[in-house]
Amino acid sequence: MSRRIEKRLFASLAERDGDPVTLETAARLLVAMTDDERHQAAVAAGLIYHLSALGTVIDRHALSALTALFGKPSLSIALSCAHVSPRAAQSLGVSDEEWKQVVEADGWAILDLWAAEHGLTQTWRGWSRQAVGGSVFLVASAALAIASAVVRHGEFTQGEAK
């Protein structure tokens, strides 16, 4: 997209929905993320939410499988923020592709809930369409804490997204 079109699009969105500069810092961080960074944030958020389902100890094999499924940056963030996640009712295996889909979908739903909580309109968020196939139940308070931890973490490495 050309610089001129980007400026016009931004001006149009800001006129209709408000300038992101007026948002609180964490909300500005989320809006300013690239698509790859936002994807990593969603995966990390979903991983944080579901990580406790693996049990209290994650062995080397499980760590390797998680890295292969979700990428090192997202897993690193998830492990460093795992303390904000609620306890899981069941344990899961890490090799299941369906679990990967649920984790990613839940991550988008978590970011979507957080964005709505912080007054971002559909124009600035719009990630709910990527939350298809997630868990039936998300604990809203846990989801908001997880998203806040992920957005404030802010260490997303481009080019390493899975």
Side-chain angles (χ1 to χ4, degrees), residues 36-82:
D36 286 342
E37 291 169 337
R38 208 172 291 121
H39 179 258
Q40 284 182 17
V43 170
L47 263 174
I48 292 167
Y49 192 80
H50 290 285
L51 209 51
S52 66
L54 298 175
T56 55
V57 178
I58 300 174
D59 65 17
R60 219 178 266 234
H61 172 70
L63 199 57
S64 295
L66 285 168
T67 302
L69 278 172
F70 300 108
K72 190 175 181 178
S74 295
L75 179 59
S76 175
I77 293 165
L79 290 171
S80 67
C81 299

Short mmCIF file of all heavy atoms in Angstrom, two decimals, residues 36-82:
data_model
loop_
_atom_site.label_atom_id
_atom_site.label_comp_id
_atom_site.label_asym_id
_atom_site.label_seq_id
_atom_site.Cartn_x
_atom_site.Cartn_y
_atom_site.Cartn_z
N ASP A 36 1.89 -9.82 11.75
CA ASP A 36 2.67 -10.93 12.32
C ASP A 36 2.75 -10.84 13.84
O ASP A 36 2.61 -11.84 14.54
CB ASP A 36 4.08 -10.97 11.73
CG ASP A 36 4.12 -11.49 10.30
OD1 ASP A 36 3.13 -12.12 9.87
OD2 ASP A 36 5.14 -11.26 9.63
N GLU A 37 2.98 -9.64 14.34
CA GLU A 37 3.06 -9.44 15.79
C GLU A 37 1.71 -9.72 16.45
O GLU A 37 1.66 -10.35 17.51
CB GLU A 37 3.52 -8.03 16.12
CG GLU A 37 4.96 -7.75 15.74
CD GLU A 37 5.33 -6.28 15.81
OE1 GLU A 37 4.43 -5.42 15.72
OE2 GLU A 37 6.53 -6.00 15.94
N ARG A 38 0.66 -9.28 15.81
CA ARG A 38 -0.68 -9.53 16.36
C ARG A 38 -1.00 -11.02 16.36
O ARG A 38 -1.59 -11.54 17.28
CB ARG A 38 -1.72 -8.73 15.56
CG ARG A 38 -2.93 -8.38 16.38
CD ARG A 38 -3.88 -7.43 15.67
NE ARG A 38 -3.30 -6.11 15.54
CZ ARG A 38 -3.08 -5.50 14.37
NH1 ARG A 38 -3.41 -6.07 13.24
NH2 ARG A 38 -2.56 -4.30 14.33
N HIS A 39 -0.58 -11.72 15.31
CA HIS A 39 -0.77 -13.17 15.25
C HIS A 39 0.00 -13.84 16.38
O HIS A 39 -0.53 -14.72 17.06
CB HIS A 39 -0.34 -13.72 13.89
CG HIS A 39 -0.50 -15.20 13.80
ND1 HIS A 39 0.56 -16.06 13.92
CD2 HIS A 39 -1.60 -15.98 13.64
CE1 HIS A 39 0.13 -17.30 13.83
NE2 HIS A 39 -1.18 -17.29 13.67
N GLN A 40 1.24 -13.45 16.60
CA GLN A 40 2.03 -14.00 17.70
C GLN A 40 1.38 -13.70 19.04
O GLN A 40 1.37 -14.55 19.94
CB GLN A 40 3.45 -13.45 17.68
CG GLN A 40 4.31 -14.07 16.62
CD GLN A 40 5.74 -13.55 16.66
OE1 GLN A 40 6.17 -12.97 17.65
NE2 GLN A 40 6.45 -13.74 15.58
N ALA A 41 0.84 -12.50 19.19
CA ALA A 41 0.16 -12.13 20.43
C ALA A 41 -1.07 -13.02 20.65
O ALA A 41 -1.33 -13.48 21.77
CB ALA A 41 -0.24 -10.66 20.41
N ALA A 42 -1.82 -13.28 19.58
CA ALA A 42 -3.01 -14.13 19.69
C ALA A 42 -2.62 -15.56 20.06
O ALA A 42 -3.23 -16.17 20.94
CB ALA A 42 -3.80 -14.12 18.38
N VAL A 43 -1.59 -16.09 19.42
CA VAL A 43 -1.13 -17.44 19.74
C VAL A 43 -0.63 -17.50 21.18
O VAL A 43 -0.96 -18.44 21.92
CB VAL A 43 -0.03 -17.90 18.75
CG1 VAL A 43 0.62 -19.19 19.20
CG2 VAL A 43 -0.63 -18.07 17.34
N ALA A 44 0.14 -16.50 21.59
CA ALA A 44 0.64 -16.47 22.97
C ALA A 44 -0.52 -16.41 23.96
O ALA A 44 -0.52 -17.12 24.97
CB ALA A 44 1.58 -15.29 23.17
N ALA A 45 -1.52 -15.59 23.68
CA ALA A 45 -2.68 -15.47 24.58
C ALA A 45 -3.43 -16.80 24.68
O ALA A 45 -3.78 -17.24 25.78
CB ALA A 45 -3.62 -14.37 24.09
N GLY A 46 -3.65 -17.45 23.55
CA GLY A 46 -4.31 -18.75 23.57
C GLY A 46 -3.49 -19.80 24.29
O GLY A 46 -4.02 -20.63 25.04
N LEU A 47 -2.17 -19.77 24.09
CA LEU A 47 -1.29 -20.71 24.78
C LEU A 47 -1.33 -20.49 26.29
O LEU A 47 -1.38 -21.45 27.06
CB LEU A 47 0.14 -20.54 24.30
CG LEU A 47 0.61 -21.49 23.22
CD1 LEU A 47 2.00 -21.10 22.74
CD2 LEU A 47 0.59 -22.92 23.69
N ILE A 48 -1.28 -19.25 26.70
CA ILE A 48 -1.34 -18.96 28.14
C ILE A 48 -2.62 -19.54 28.72
O ILE A 48 -2.60 -20.18 29.78
CB ILE A 48 -1.26 -17.44 28.41
CG1 ILE A 48 0.11 -16.90 28.05
CG2 ILE A 48 -1.58 -17.14 29.88
CD1 ILE A 48 0.18 -15.39 27.99
N TYR A 49 -3.72 -19.34 28.03
CA TYR A 49 -5.01 -19.81 28.52
C TYR A 49 -5.04 -21.34 28.65
O TYR A 49 -5.61 -21.88 29.58
CB TYR A 49 -6.13 -19.33 27.60
CG TYR A 49 -7.50 -19.52 28.21
CD1 TYR A 49 -7.99 -18.62 29.15
CD2 TYR A 49 -8.31 -20.59 27.85
CE1 TYR A 49 -9.24 -18.79 29.71
CE2 TYR A 49 -9.56 -20.77 28.41
CZ TYR A 49 -10.02 -19.85 29.34
OH TYR A 49 -11.26 -20.03 29.90
N HIS A 50 -4.41 -22.03 27.71
CA HIS A 50 -4.50 -23.50 27.67
C HIS A 50 -3.27 -24.22 28.23
O HIS A 50 -3.28 -25.44 28.34
CB HIS A 50 -4.75 -23.96 26.24
CG HIS A 50 -6.11 -23.63 25.75
ND1 HIS A 50 -7.24 -24.32 26.15
CD2 HIS A 50 -6.55 -22.65 24.90
CE1 HIS A 50 -8.30 -23.79 25.56
NE2 HIS A 50 -7.91 -22.78 24.81
N LEU A 51 -2.21 -23.49 28.55
CA LEU A 51 -0.97 -24.12 28.99
C LEU A 51 -1.13 -24.98 30.23
O LEU A 51 -0.52 -26.05 30.33
CB LEU A 51 0.08 -23.03 29.25
CG LEU A 51 1.54 -23.39 29.05
CD1 LEU A 51 1.79 -24.03 27.69
CD2 LEU A 51 2.41 -22.17 29.21
N SER A 52 -1.96 -24.58 31.15
CA SER A 52 -2.11 -25.36 32.39
C SER A 52 -2.75 -26.72 32.13
O SER A 52 -2.65 -27.62 32.96
CB SER A 52 -2.91 -24.57 33.43
OG SER A 52 -4.24 -24.38 32.98
N ALA A 53 -3.38 -26.89 30.96
CA ALA A 53 -3.97 -28.19 30.62
C ALA A 53 -2.90 -29.24 30.38
O ALA A 53 -3.19 -30.44 30.37
CB ALA A 53 -4.86 -28.06 29.39
N LEU A 54 -1.66 -28.81 30.20
CA LEU A 54 -0.56 -29.76 29.98
C LEU A 54 -0.02 -30.33 31.29
O LEU A 54 0.77 -31.24 31.29
CB LEU A 54 0.58 -29.08 29.22
CG LEU A 54 0.23 -28.58 27.83
CD1 LEU A 54 1.40 -27.83 27.23
CD2 LEU A 54 -0.18 -29.73 26.93
N GLY A 55 -0.44 -29.76 32.39
CA GLY A 55 0.04 -30.21 33.70
C GLY A 55 0.98 -29.19 34.30
O GLY A 55 1.25 -28.14 33.71
N THR A 56 1.51 -29.52 35.46
CA THR A 56 2.37 -28.56 36.15
C THR A 56 3.81 -28.57 35.65
O THR A 56 4.54 -27.61 35.86
CB THR A 56 2.37 -28.84 37.67
OG1 THR A 56 2.73 -30.20 37.89
CG2 THR A 56 0.99 -28.57 38.26
N VAL A 57 4.23 -29.67 35.01
CA VAL A 57 5.60 -29.78 34.50
C VAL A 57 5.53 -30.07 33.00
O VAL A 57 4.80 -30.95 32.57
CB VAL A 57 6.37 -30.91 35.22
CG1 VAL A 57 7.77 -31.05 34.64
CG2 VAL A 57 6.44 -30.64 36.71
N ILE A 58 6.31 -29.33 32.24
CA ILE A 58 6.36 -29.55 30.80
C ILE A 58 7.73 -30.14 30.48
O ILE A 58 8.76 -29.50 30.69
CB ILE A 58 6.14 -28.24 30.01
CG1 ILE A 58 4.77 -27.66 30.35
CG2 ILE A 58 6.27 -28.47 28.52
CD1 ILE A 58 4.50 -26.31 29.74
N ASP A 59 7.73 -31.38 29.97
CA ASP A 59 9.00 -32.04 29.69
C ASP A 59 9.59 -31.55 28.37
O ASP A 59 8.98 -30.80 27.63
CB ASP A 59 8.85 -33.57 29.71
CG ASP A 59 7.93 -34.09 28.61
OD1 ASP A 59 7.66 -33.37 27.63
OD2 ASP A 59 7.48 -35.24 28.73
N ARG A 60 10.80 -31.99 28.10
CA ARG A 60 11.52 -31.56 26.90
C ARG A 60 10.77 -31.90 25.61
O ARG A 60 10.73 -31.11 24.68
CB ARG A 60 12.89 -32.24 26.89
CG ARG A 60 13.99 -31.38 26.41
CD ARG A 60 15.28 -32.15 26.49
NE ARG A 60 15.93 -31.86 27.75
CZ ARG A 60 17.17 -31.43 27.84
NH1 ARG A 60 17.90 -31.30 26.76
NH2 ARG A 60 17.71 -31.16 29.00
N HIS A 61 10.19 -33.10 25.56
CA HIS A 61 9.45 -33.53 24.39
C HIS A 61 8.25 -32.61 24.15
O HIS A 61 8.01 -32.16 23.03
CB HIS A 61 8.98 -34.98 24.55
CG HIS A 61 8.05 -35.43 23.46
ND1 HIS A 61 8.46 -35.64 22.16
CD2 HIS A 61 6.71 -35.65 23.48
CE1 HIS A 61 7.42 -35.99 21.42
NE2 HIS A 61 6.35 -36.01 22.21
N ALA A 62 7.51 -32.33 25.20
CA ALA A 62 6.35 -31.44 25.08
C ALA A 62 6.77 -30.03 24.68
O ALA A 62 6.12 -29.39 23.85
CB ALA A 62 5.56 -31.41 26.39
N LEU A 63 7.89 -29.56 25.22
CA LEU A 63 8.40 -28.24 24.88
C LEU A 63 8.78 -28.17 23.40
O LEU A 63 8.46 -27.19 22.71
CB LEU A 63 9.62 -27.93 25.76
CG LEU A 63 10.04 -26.48 25.88
CD1 LEU A 63 8.91 -25.61 26.40
CD2 LEU A 63 11.25 -26.38 26.77
N SER A 64 9.40 -29.23 22.90
CA SER A 64 9.75 -29.28 21.47
C SER A 64 8.50 -29.30 20.60
O SER A 64 8.44 -28.63 19.57
CB SER A 64 10.59 -30.52 21.17
OG SER A 64 11.82 -30.44 21.81
N ALA A 65 7.51 -30.09 21.02
CA ALA A 65 6.26 -30.16 20.26
C ALA A 65 5.54 -28.82 20.26
O ALA A 65 5.01 -28.38 19.23
CB ALA A 65 5.35 -31.25 20.84
N LEU A 66 5.51 -28.14 21.39
CA LEU A 66 4.88 -26.82 21.47
C LEU A 66 5.60 -25.80 20.59
O LEU A 66 4.97 -24.99 19.92
CB LEU A 66 4.86 -26.33 22.93
CG LEU A 66 3.84 -26.98 23.84
CD1 LEU A 66 4.12 -26.61 25.29
CD2 LEU A 66 2.43 -26.59 23.45
N THR A 67 6.92 -25.86 20.59
CA THR A 67 7.72 -24.95 19.75
C THR A 67 7.41 -25.19 18.28
O THR A 67 7.25 -24.25 17.51
CB THR A 67 9.22 -25.13 20.03
OG1 THR A 67 9.47 -24.89 21.42
CG2 THR A 67 10.05 -24.17 19.19
N ALA A 68 7.31 -26.47 17.89
CA ALA A 68 7.00 -26.80 16.49
C ALA A 68 5.59 -26.34 16.12
O ALA A 68 5.37 -25.87 15.00
CB ALA A 68 7.15 -28.30 16.26
N LEU A 69 4.65 -26.47 17.03
CA LEU A 69 3.27 -26.08 16.75
C LEU A 69 3.06 -24.57 16.71
O LEU A 69 2.34 -24.05 15.86
CB LEU A 69 2.31 -26.66 17.80
CG LEU A 69 1.86 -28.09 17.63
CD1 LEU A 69 1.08 -28.55 18.87
CD2 LEU A 69 1.00 -28.25 16.39
N PHE A 70 3.68 -23.85 17.65
CA PHE A 70 3.33 -22.45 17.84
C PHE A 70 4.46 -21.46 17.63
O PHE A 70 4.22 -20.26 17.58
CB PHE A 70 2.76 -22.25 19.26
CG PHE A 70 1.53 -23.08 19.51
CD1 PHE A 70 1.58 -24.18 20.34
CD2 PHE A 70 0.33 -22.77 18.89
CE1 PHE A 70 0.45 -24.95 20.58
CE2 PHE A 70 -0.80 -23.54 19.12
CZ PHE A 70 -0.74 -24.62 19.96
N GLY A 71 5.68 -21.92 17.53
CA GLY A 71 6.83 -21.03 17.34
C GLY A 71 7.43 -20.61 18.67
O GLY A 71 6.74 -20.50 19.68
N LYS A 72 8.73 -20.37 18.64
CA LYS A 72 9.47 -20.04 19.86
C LYS A 72 9.04 -18.71 20.49
O LYS A 72 8.89 -18.65 21.71
CB LYS A 72 10.96 -20.03 19.55
CG LYS A 72 11.83 -19.92 20.76
CD LYS A 72 13.29 -20.04 20.40
CE LYS A 72 14.16 -19.94 21.66
NZ LYS A 72 15.56 -20.11 21.33
N PRO A 73 8.84 -17.63 19.73
CA PRO A 73 8.47 -16.36 20.36
C PRO A 73 7.15 -16.44 21.13
O PRO A 73 7.07 -15.98 22.27
CB PRO A 73 8.37 -15.37 19.20
CG PRO A 73 9.20 -15.96 18.11
CD PRO A 73 9.06 -17.44 18.28
N SER A 74 6.13 -17.02 20.52
CA SER A 74 4.83 -17.12 21.19
C SER A 74 4.91 -18.02 22.41
O SER A 74 4.33 -17.72 23.47
CB SER A 74 3.76 -17.64 20.23
OG SER A 74 3.56 -16.71 19.19
N LEU A 75 5.64 -19.13 22.31
CA LEU A 75 5.78 -20.03 23.45
C LEU A 75 6.54 -19.36 24.58
O LEU A 75 6.18 -19.50 25.76
CB LEU A 75 6.48 -21.32 23.03
CG LEU A 75 6.69 -22.35 24.14
CD1 LEU A 75 5.36 -22.77 24.77
CD2 LEU A 75 7.44 -23.56 23.61
N SER A 76 7.57 -18.62 24.25
CA SER A 76 8.36 -17.91 25.27
C SER A 76 7.49 -16.93 26.04
O SER A 76 7.55 -16.86 27.28
CB SER A 76 9.52 -17.18 24.60
OG SER A 76 10.22 -16.41 25.52
N ILE A 77 6.68 -16.18 25.33
CA ILE A 77 5.77 -15.23 25.98
C ILE A 77 4.76 -15.98 26.84
O ILE A 77 4.48 -15.59 27.98
CB ILE A 77 5.06 -14.35 24.93
CG1 ILE A 77 6.08 -13.44 24.25
CG2 ILE A 77 3.94 -13.53 25.57
CD1 ILE A 77 5.58 -12.80 22.98
N ALA A 78 4.21 -17.06 26.30
CA ALA A 78 3.21 -17.84 27.05
C ALA A 78 3.80 -18.40 28.33
O ALA A 78 3.16 -18.34 29.39
CB ALA A 78 2.67 -18.97 26.17
N LEU A 79 5.01 -18.91 28.27
CA LEU A 79 5.64 -19.46 29.47
C LEU A 79 5.94 -18.37 30.50
O LEU A 79 5.77 -18.58 31.70
CB LEU A 79 6.92 -20.22 29.11
CG LEU A 79 6.70 -21.54 28.36
CD1 LEU A 79 8.03 -22.10 27.86
CD2 LEU A 79 5.97 -22.56 29.22
N SER A 80 6.34 -17.20 30.03
CA SER A 80 6.66 -16.13 30.98
C SER A 80 5.41 -15.50 31.60
O SER A 80 5.50 -14.89 32.66
CB SER A 80 7.52 -15.05 30.31
OG SER A 80 6.78 -14.37 29.33
N CYS A 81 4.26 -15.68 30.97
CA CYS A 81 3.02 -15.10 31.49
C CYS A 81 2.03 -16.16 31.98
O CYS A 81 0.88 -15.85 32.29
CB CYS A 81 2.35 -14.25 30.42
SG CYS A 81 3.34 -12.86 29.86
N ALA A 82 2.45 -17.41 32.07
CA ALA A 82 1.54 -18.51 32.42
C ALA A 82 0.88 -18.34 33.78
O ALA A 82 -0.20 -18.88 34.01
CB ALA A 82 2.29 -19.83 32.36
#
